[in-house]
Amino acid sequence: MTAESGVEGPDPSGDDRANYDYAGGEVQRPGLVSDLRTLVDGDVRFDEFTRELYATDASIYDVTPVGVVFPTDTEDVSAVVEYCAERGIPVLPRGGGTSLAGQTVNRAVVLDLSRYMDDFVEFDADERRARAQPGITLGHLNAELADAGLKFAPDPAWGDKSVLGGAIGNNSTGAHSLQYGKTDAYVESCEVVLADGTVTTFEPVPVEDLDDLADPNGDLEGRIYAAVRDVLDDETIADAYPDLKRNVSGYNLDYVIDRAREDGVADLPGLLAGSEGTLAVVTEAEVSLEPVPETKGLALLRYDDLLDAMEDVEPILEHDPAALEVLDDVLLDLARDTAEFGALVDEMVPAGTGAVLLVEFYADSDAEGRERVADLLADRAPVSETLADPTGDGVETDAPVRADSAAEAHDDAEREQFWKLRKSGLPILLGRTSDAKHVAFVEDTAVPPENLPEFVADFQAVLDDHDTYASFYAHAGPGVLHVRPLVNTKTGEGVAKMESIADEVTDFVVEYGGSVSGEHGDGRARTQWNKKLYGDEIWETFQDLKTAFDPDWLLNPGQVVFRADDPTDLTENLRFDPEYEFDAGFEPTLEWDNENGFQGMAELCHGCGGCRGHQDTTGGVMCPTYRAAEEESLSTRGRANALRQTMSGDLPDVEGDSEEFLAEVMDLCIGCKGCKKDCPSEVDMAKLKAEVTHEHHKREGASLRDRLFANVDRLSAIGSALAPLSNLATKVPGSRIVTEKALGIARERTLPTFERGTFVKWFRKRGPGVPVAGADRRVVLLPDTYTNYSRPEAGKAAVRVLEAAGIHVEVPGELTDSGRAAFSKGFLDQARETARKNVTELAPRVDDDWDVVVIEPSDAVMYQSDYLDLLGDSEDAAAAETVASSAYGVLEYLDAHGLDDAVDFEIPDEDLTYHGHCHQKATAKDHHAVGVLRRAGYRVDPLDSGCCGMAGSFGYEAEHYSMSRAIGEVLFDQVEESGGEQVVAPGASCRTQLGDRPGADDEPPHPIEKVADALAD
């Protein structure tokens, strides 16, 4: 392992002993790494750490690759493929690593095409065509097309993180496949690297030209065209394929045959669709585009039973919807118990509902959208008081009762709520921290919609026979159901159960004319069933085709089809198997309120890659370091995988709390908490980092700088007492250089100044402005370190606004330290003592009907949630719960209780750009400030921004300064694009970072200061 520094990520060094053949054993090729480095301009990384990062994807599998190459262009790809072909080394092209079937992990040299080969190449709006490299995310691609009102139509749920090359490799589609079909219909041409390193372009060619191109004894291209000609001449193939809109099992032969019959062309790009990187490596693609629909209409139909909903799918399809999705009672009931989705489910779905169908229509106008929904409801919904006259023409319908109740949505906000309900499924299923998990191995079956009721009933019977259960959800319209049985693969019994379920379900798939994969591909999970699905003859055709394209079977071997002597087994190479062991090496300090505690959280990441989003296409907080550097190791997935692999022995030479591990994996985690909210599984990397850093401090000690930052409240008190001399010290020539060399504090960073007249002193002298007698509410206003010693104006503004609302305010002088700094630096014992002191002081006040209000957002979250982690298993737990129940950020407090309604404001003529604190966003409390500012009369543009990159002490540390600024640049660009007259931010760190941005005169105000400015005299 090698230490990371700055925004460049890990030093791309590896050693030549890490050279592995396909079977995983050592081979005598000591020049492999050095040879590849001379051949390519991109990075070559064969170190153990990088290899383990690429051992997993979003599936249940774990296969350590030979190494990883990050090519910069087609020439790099060609060089690697040719070199490996000459030496019999497998190669695996990989994009976002979001595969659910395991097709992006293999014992091979991995080509990560997402790092450098992600360009949008060109666009022809008139022809509705675009060219792009394979590593571009679908979200980025569509963002480039948005102004022209066009899009790449296939819309997989994870399109903001999955890439174009992966969409081709998987033949991806999504919720709107009823409207658009699969990727194969949109791939017009592909620049590819063949198995021998040859670079060529595949595009549809007239069938009559195949004889001129085909040469079974010629070069590789000639043999490929000969194999395609043989496919088109085979009369048995078409009848062997199921009649489905959604089938991505096996090679895409039926599509190629249909294109030849209908259009007279041999569609080689279409053949690559769904080939999972086993036939060629796509290095650039031209795709056709579709117009973005003008508007949409949505209906939500509710049923007592899932099978009733399945019976209704086929009749609904007669209305030609663009999407038809299902969500069953298992997910609805789980969602009802979550903080994020509970209120939504209660509002939209009555208790006892067995399933819901979400039906969406595309329309050219709002009137058309409403009409199409009304037609559906007239035909499908029950006769009821609310739906007796669905069309509004005064005629009641006597349509047969199908749904038990229904609702509809037409404006953007309403439709978003409906889709949020549908998308609640995966986060809930992935949130299990127990050994038994909802495992993806039969989650992708597809059958003709008319067979769904019988198929689902039989599927449920299989689950019952195996004493488990699953949720049924997703794309009911085309017959694709996502079903993840609850299985514990850490036991031999669980592995056997998984295989038995898959075998029996496959039998039913074949019986009902379906496919084992309707969306997610074959990979390691389903390749073995293709022979049962298609029969021996088609299986042999797959083998022949693979051999023609890849004579030595070196391109992602074992996916789609395999050799008889090297079979792919869905039970092999499991991430969690009966031999798996986990040993943290220490007893956790924090309270881990989940199944399996610390281990459960360390194992929670399932690998979906949600942390690999880009701010310009995905928004949200997670993951700021990845967004700045686009390094897998800097994503939450990378850190979570490394932590688990270290503690399970996959990285045997490294301990999870060692200096090496912390430097390599945890050092650049800035504790933004974004993953706690944005990650579908809610992996809490900030908390994991605090735990392992604390253990390191216990064993190895801590640096002087870390101790100073952990005690920043005491240092600030001294700085305030010595002001203004303490402020002049930083202006002495050469002082910043000395500080950097002595303490590692970046010389470029503006250090905070101190006020001799602290906020506490000001309030003590002034006293409360609203008497306690007769006040509607009483508040303990906590003066955080920065507000008290460096920016008293924010505290004074908070007092003014609270008192304007008729609230009695008191400011205790002894509670300026929340413990946030110590917690963030991993000094958990110190943070716990601070927490214990504070809750002991505040809990009696709360019991006496006082509220606790905090100006600094990160301190507010400390009281609201982190104290529960610090004190959850102690005698102070009850006091911590009491304080948490009545702790608020100042703007949250005003908004949550409607207190600013009683305040008189002058209407300021000013536009504000609001950047919320990442800890507020992680706890879903960021919106409160915007509401208060708008009611105060401001025009507010709230940024969908991530962390500012300052992150407390992180941005002051010399080795982190470049990363801090790189993260900050993302925010600076958003502020610039917003165009507001004034940017406001509640976080002290955010204001420091924004104050240091180019062109800034000073740090921006806290939003409470702007609220105070708007108070009427």
Side-chain angles (χ1 to χ4, degrees):
M1 296 173 70
T2 54
E4 296 171 352
S5 62
V7 298
E8 297 303 320
D11 177 10
S13 63
D15 61 69
D16 287 340
R17 63 182 174 80
N19 300 310
Y20 291 78
D21 67 10
Y22 180 53
E26 295 261 0
V27 293
Q28 300 302 314
R29 293 197 188 96
L32 173 58
V33 177
S34 56
D35 286 353
L36 288 176
R37 285 185 180 150
T38 63
L39 289 172
V40 303
D41 292 330
D43 305 332
V44 178
R45 302 185 190 172
F46 279 59
D47 58 281
E48 186 177 35
F49 176 48
T50 299
R51 291 170 56 233
E52 289 301 329
L53 284 178
Y54 283 81
T56 57
D57 52 13
S59 73
I60 59 178
Y61 298 102
D62 188 321
V63 184
T64 304
V66 176
V68 184
V69 177
F70 302 81
T72 60
D73 52 27
T74 301
E75 288 71 23
D76 275 1
V77 175
S78 175
V80 173
V81 172
E82 181 180 3
Y83 178 90
C84 290
E86 292 172 352
R87 291 157 181 80
I89 305 171
V91 175
L92 163 63
R94 171 167 161 147
T98 58
S99 154
L100 288 166
Q103 55 264 58
T104 59
V105 293
N106 215 326
R107 191 82 64 195
V109 172
V110 173
L111 297 172
D112 184 343
L113 303 172
S114 70
R115 179 74 194 276
Y116 299 120
M117 296 183 66
D118 61 350
D119 287 344
F120 182 81
V121 179
E122 62 182 9
F123 168 47
D124 187 326
D126 294 332
E127 294 294 325
R128 292 185 181 176
R129 299 282 182 94
R131 294 189 68 85
Q133 291 183 309
I136 191 172
T137 66
L138 301 187
H140 184 190
L141 175 62
N142 284 328
E144 294 281 356
L145 304 170
D147 287 345
L150 296 171
K151 66 177 181 177
F152 178 68
D155 59 343
W158 226 230
D160 287 329
K161 289 85 181 175
S162 53
V163 300
L164 178 61
I168 296 170
N170 253 28
N171 202 6
S172 295
T173 181
H176 297 91
S177 64
L178 292 172
Q179 179 81 17
Y180 296 121
K182 304 190 295 290
T183 294
D184 52 17
Y186 300 92
V187 185
E188 302 298 333
S189 69
C190 291
E191 178 190 78
V192 299
V193 174
L194 301 180
D196 63 354
T198 299
V199 178
T200 190
T201 297
F202 281 156
E203 54 191 6
V205 298
V207 171
E208 58 266 23
D209 291 348
L210 278 181
D211 286 338
D212 294 333
L213 297 169
D215 184 354
N217 299 310
D219 62 12
L220 186 54
E221 283 191 77
R223 298 198 300 273
I224 288 171
Y225 283 109
V228 173
R229 182 185 60 187
D230 290 345
V231 166
L232 297 183
D233 290 342
D234 191 333
E235 299 291 337
T236 68
I237 293 175
D239 292 339
Y241 275 71
D243 184 15
L244 287 172
K245 290 180 178 292
R246 297 280 290 267
N247 173 29
V248 297
S249 290
Y251 288 122
N252 203 22
L253 306 186
D254 58 335
Y255 175 82
V256 175
I257 290 172
D258 287 345
R259 282 276 280 154
R261 291 174 177 174
E262 295 171 8
D263 303 316
V265 296
D267 191 345
L268 271 76
L271 181 58
L272 293 183
S275 64
E276 301 183 7
T278 64
L279 301 181
V281 181
V282 176
T283 54
E284 190 171 290
E286 181 178 33
V287 295
S288 55
L289 310 171
E290 291 288 334
V292 175
E294 289 293 329
T295 189
K296 306 165 188 175
L298 272 171
L300 184 74
L301 306 179
R302 310 179 187 97
Y303 300 82
D304 280 342
D305 186 80
L306 174 63
L307 295 181
D308 290 342
M310 295 296 94
E311 291 280 0
D312 214 14
V313 169
E314 189 179 13
I316 291 173
L317 290 175
E318 296 176 5
H319 291 264
D320 194 26
L324 173 50
E325 304 285 293
V326 65
L327 203 63
D328 74 354
D329 59 334
V330 174
L331 276 177
L332 292 171
D333 290 343
L334 288 172
R336 210 180 296 275
D337 293 333
T338 66
E340 183 174 0
F341 300 109
L344 179 67
V345 176
D346 286 340
E347 176 185 348
M348 300 179 66
V349 183
T353 298
V356 298
L357 292 178
L358 182 68
V359 189
E360 182 170 76
F361 297 96
Y362 285 168
D364 292 330
S365 66
D366 181 64
E368 182 190 352
R370 292 178 182 275
E371 181 180 0
R372 297 195 68 183
V373 170
D375 287 344
L376 172 73
L377 297 183
D379 187 29
R380 310 311 309 161
V383 177
S384 68
E385 183 175 339
T386 58
L387 294 172
D389 180 19
T391 60
D393 59 7
V395 179
E396 294 191 1
T397 177
D398 57 356
V401 174
R402 293 286 187 171
D404 299 299
S405 61
E408 56 185 295
H410 297 281
D411 65 41
D412 290 344
E414 289 176 334
R415 292 199 305 267
E416 184 178 345
Q417 288 293 89
F418 277 46
W419 276 108
K420 182 179 179 182
L421 176 66
R422 155 63 181 87
K423 293 175 181 179
S424 69
L426 190 60
I428 295 165
L429 288 178
L430 298 180
R432 280 190 173 271
T433 55
S434 60
D435 288 337
K437 297 183 183 295
H438 289 282
V439 181
F441 64 102
V442 288
E443 87 294 348
D444 198 29
T445 56
V447 298
E450 63 268 21
N451 294 337
L452 275 175
E454 293 82 5
F455 175 70
V456 169
D458 287 336
F459 204 138
Q460 289 176 325
V462 170
L463 297 175
D464 289 342
D465 290 344
H466 288 84
D467 194 27
T468 189
Y469 71 95
S471 172
F472 291 75
Y473 72 102
H475 318 303
V480 181
L481 297 180
H482 293 338
V483 188
R484 293 181 178 226
L486 187 67
V487 178
N488 180 8
T489 61
K490 293 180 181 178
T491 68
E493 178 186 1
V495 174
K497 180 184 294 188
M498 181 178 75
E499 185 170 28
S500 178
I501 291 172
D503 192 14
E504 292 185 37
V505 168
T506 300
D507 287 338
F508 284 123
V509 165
V510 174
E511 177 183 341
Y512 289 112
S515 166
V516 292
S517 180
E519 181 173 28
H520 297 155
D522 294 325
R524 296 178 174 275
R526 287 178 282 274
T527 289
Q528 75 183 74
W529 306 119
N530 279 338
K531 191 171 185 178
K532 178 184 284 191
L533 179 65
Y534 290 112
D536 291 344
E537 289 187 21
I538 302 301
W539 178 258
E540 290 175 6
T541 300
F542 288 170
Q543 291 176 320
D544 292 342
L545 186 72
K546 168 69 172 173
T547 300
F549 273 85
D550 182 15
D552 296 316
W553 288 55
L554 295 176
L555 294 179
N556 201 12
Q559 323 300 311
V560 184
V561 67
F562 53 72
R563 285 172 164 164
D565 61 350
D566 190 16
T568 301
D569 187 331
L570 87 159
T571 66
E572 293 180 348
N573 298 296
L574 296 174
R575 187 185 308 186
F576 301 115
D577 61 19
E579 283 72 49
Y580 175 87
E581 294 181 358
F582 182 94
D583 181 11
F586 58 86
E587 286 297 319
T589 297
L590 297 171
E591 176 76 357
W592 294 89
D593 187 19
N594 57 53
E595 294 180 271
N596 279 2
F598 174 82
Q599 177 181 347
M601 182 60 69
E603 295 175 348
L604 185 56
C605 173
H606 77 289
C608 71
C611 45
R612 289 169 52 95
H614 296 264
Q615 190 73 54
D616 58 346
T617 57
T618 64
V621 179
M622 183 180 68
C623 176
T625 49
Y626 177 81
R627 285 172 170 170
E630 296 190 15
E631 278 278 359
E632 175 71 19
S633 62
L634 302 185
S635 67
T636 302
R637 178 173 74 177
R639 294 188 179 101
N641 274 331
L643 181 64
R644 173 185 53 79
Q645 290 163 335
T646 298
M647 294 180 173
S648 65
D650 287 339
L651 282 169
D653 299 329
V654 183
E655 293 183 359
D657 62 331
S658 68
E659 188 79 38
E660 188 178 15
F661 180 82
L662 289 173
E664 190 76 41
V665 178
M666 293 297 188
D667 185 50
L668 293 180
C669 170
I670 58 179
C672 67
K673 294 180 180 282
C675 47
K676 186 176 181 179
K677 175 179 179 291
D678 291 350
C679 169
S681 301
E682 298 183 356
V683 174
D684 193 342
M685 187 52 60
K687 187 176 176 182
L688 287 167
K689 178 182 179 179
E691 189 76 80
V692 297
T693 305
H694 171 72
E695 183 64 22
H696 174 74
H697 290 336
K698 284 170 58 179
R699 295 189 185 187
E700 307 295 335
S703 69
L704 173 60
R705 186 184 66 183
D706 284 349
R707 293 186 181 279
L708 289 174
F709 280 132
N711 290 281
V712 66
D713 190 72
R714 296 180 190 176
L715 289 175
S716 296
I718 295 171
S720 174
L722 296 178
L725 292 177
S726 54
N727 298 327
L728 295 174
T730 63
K731 296 180 172 59
V732 174
S735 62
R736 293 190 178 185
I737 297 175
V738 172
T739 302
E740 180 175 289
K741 290 183 177 180
L743 296 174
I745 296 175
R747 69 184 72 181
E748 301 91 343
R749 183 64 72 183
T750 300
L751 297 176
T753 58
F754 302 104
E755 296 287 337
R756 193 172 186 86
T758 67
F759 171 54
V760 169
K761 289 179 181 177
W762 171 83
F763 187 83
R764 188 175 296 151
K765 181 177 180 180
R766 172 188 181 275
V770 174
V772 66
D776 293 334
R777 307 183 77 96
R778 296 178 292 175
V779 159
V780 179
L781 182 63
L782 298 182
D784 61 273
T785 299
Y786 190 71
T787 298
N788 189 45
Y789 298 113
S790 295
R791 190 68 182 253
E793 291 82 0
K796 296 174 185 178
V799 171
R800 288 182 60 204
V801 174
L802 291 169
E803 290 183 344
I807 299 168
H808 175 74
V809 178
E810 290 190 7
V811 178
E814 68 280 4
L815 299 182
T816 58
D817 184 10
S818 71
R820 165 60 64 199
F823 187 93
S824 297
K825 300 305 292 183
F827 294 92
L828 299 184
D829 291 337
Q830 179 180 333
R832 179 182 289 107
E833 287 307 309
T834 301
R836 180 173 290 116
K837 180 192 75 171
N838 290 351
V839 300
T840 299
E841 172 70 24
L842 293 170
R845 292 284 198 106
V846 174
D847 287 337
D848 196 28
D849 293 329
W850 287 73
D851 296 314
V852 177
V853 176
V854 189
I855 299 165
E856 168 61 35
S858 62
D859 283 31
V861 173
M862 195 76 185
Y863 284 94
Q864 291 167 336
S865 63
D866 293 319
Y867 279 9
L868 304 180
D869 293 332
L870 288 165
L871 302 173
D873 61 349
S874 71
E875 60 185 17
D876 299 294
E881 290 277 3
T882 296
V883 172
S885 67
S886 292
Y888 304 87
V890 60
L891 291 155
E892 174 195 357
Y893 184 65
L894 292 167
D895 187 53
H897 299 291
L899 302 175
D900 55 312
D901 291 342
V903 178
D904 292 329
F905 293 107
E906 296 177 348
I907 305 302
D909 184 20
E910 188 173 359
D911 295 297
L912 300 180
T913 297
Y914 173 75
H915 164 66
H917 194 281
C918 50
H919 286 189
Q920 286 182 315
K921 294 179 179 182
T923 52
K925 299 179 184 297
D926 181 50
H927 61 284
H928 294 291
V930 177
V932 175
L933 286 167
R934 285 174 173 166
R935 289 191 295 275
Y938 295 101
R939 297 180 295 274
V940 184
D941 178 14
L943 299 178
D944 186 8
S945 50
C947 182
C948 69
M950 193 67 188
S953 64
F954 181 88
Y956 288 105
E957 295 163 355
E959 71 274 24
H960 297 147
Y961 176 76
S962 60
M963 174 61 79
S964 173
R965 293 296 292 182
I967 297 171
E969 290 293 340
V970 179
L971 173 60
F972 301 161
D973 290 344
Q974 289 180 290
V975 170
E976 193 70 27
E977 291 170 6
S978 174
E981 299 169 49
Q982 173 76 67
V983 60
V984 294
S989 290
C990 308
R991 302 202 300 276
T992 298
Q993 182 82 299
L994 287 164
D996 278 353
R997 77 188 190 280
D1001 296 328
D1002 194 6
E1003 72 173 50
H1006 191 296
I1008 195 65
E1009 295 179 67
K1010 300 302 293 184
V1011 176
D1013 289 345
L1015 291 173
D1017 293 333

